[in-house]
Amino acid sequence: MKYTTHSLNIVIGDITRLRIDAIVNAANTSLLGGGGVDGAIHRAAGKELLAECRTLGGCLTGQSKITEGYNLPCKKIIHTVGPVWHGGDQGEDELLASCYRTSLDIAAQHGLKSIAFPCISTGVYHFPKQRAAQIAINVIKEYITQNKFEGDVTICCFCTKDADIYKALLADDNQF
Ligand code: AR6
């Protein structure tokens, strides 16, 4: 399933299967793996990914770092650390926006032309899904319309319900 508006695509499936320039990992500050999409990415990429991640010295919440893709079909992995949801008054919105911004900045700096994001922070970290989707759309829209990232952006949802949130928000957004 693919839903497209301008250069933003919504797909449903496993992000580790995407043949694309870069996928984004919803990691933790250690960058040494975990569950959810992080676990799936490390399992599919292989042990070399963990070895490279050990050299990175972790990553702050809201920041991002890049590695090779190893056994994955993508070229690069951009690891970002989303905020844990604590109710919304601990800077969670800005930190989540920063995950999307810093990932797109890194992709642009490396000349990458296609990038796919999972729904960062909306699993184990419990960020409300609709609120997270609106933040993701706002940042991606800014980057595409201002040519800060010149390529295709994909949101890779793991289930239909998540994709429906994005599709509804995009349908309401006649500017995009
Ligand atoms: N492809 C695409 N999306 C996926 C996949 C996949 N293979 N697997 C899960 N998702 P989560 P977070 C979706 O919990 O909330 C890890 O332990 C999932 O349905 O992976 O940012 C890290 O090490 C959800 O929509 O990430 C951190 O400790 C989204 O990915 C912590 O979890 C994010 O869920 C990060 O928590």
Side-chain angles (χ1 to χ4, degrees), residues 85 87-94 96 100 120 122 127-138 165-166 169:
W85 180 256
D89 57 2
Q90 313 249 337
E92 292 96 329
D93 289 348
E94 188 44 46
L96 186 62
Y100 287 91
I120 301 163
T122 64
F127 203 108
K129 286 168 184 268
Q130 171 117 0
R131 186 162 170 154
Q134 188 63 68
I135 290 167
I137 287 171
N138 290 349
I165 293 173
Y166 277 89
L169 288 172

Side-chain angles (χ1 to χ4, degrees), residues 44-165:
K47 286 184 180 155
E48 282 175 297
L49 173 60
L50 183 57
E52 184 176 358
C53 284
R54 285 193 200 285
T55 70
L56 298 178
C59 184
L60 295 172
T61 302
Q63 299 296 308
S64 307
K65 294 192 177 178
I66 191 167
T67 67
E68 296 302 320
Y70 298 103
N71 296 336
L72 290 177
C74 62
K75 293 181 192 151
K76 303 280 186 185
I77 304 165
I78 298 172
H79 305 262
T80 195
V81 183
V84 177
W85 180 256
H86 289 296
D89 57 2
Q90 313 249 337
E92 292 96 329
D93 289 348
E94 188 44 46
L95 287 167
L96 186 62
S98 177
C99 289
Y100 287 91
R101 285 201 190 95
T102 55
S103 296
L104 289 164
D105 286 340
I106 288 174
Q109 283 156 15
H110 284 76
L112 304 176
K113 295 295 177 207
S114 50
I115 183 171
F117 288 93
C119 302
I120 301 163
S121 282
T122 64
V124 176
Y125 284 178
H126 292 298
F127 203 108
K129 286 168 184 268
Q130 171 117 0
R131 186 162 170 154
Q134 188 63 68
I135 290 167
I137 287 171
N138 290 349
V139 174
I140 292 165
K141 180 177 171 180
E142 172 195 327
Y143 271 67
I144 291 174
T145 56
Q146 297 180 19
N147 294 322
K148 293 183 188 173
F149 178 73
E150 298 188 52
D152 290 326
V153 181
T154 296
I155 301 284
C156 181
C157 299
F158 208 39
C159 64
T160 314
K161 229 174 152 187
D162 288 354
D164 287 346
I165 293 173

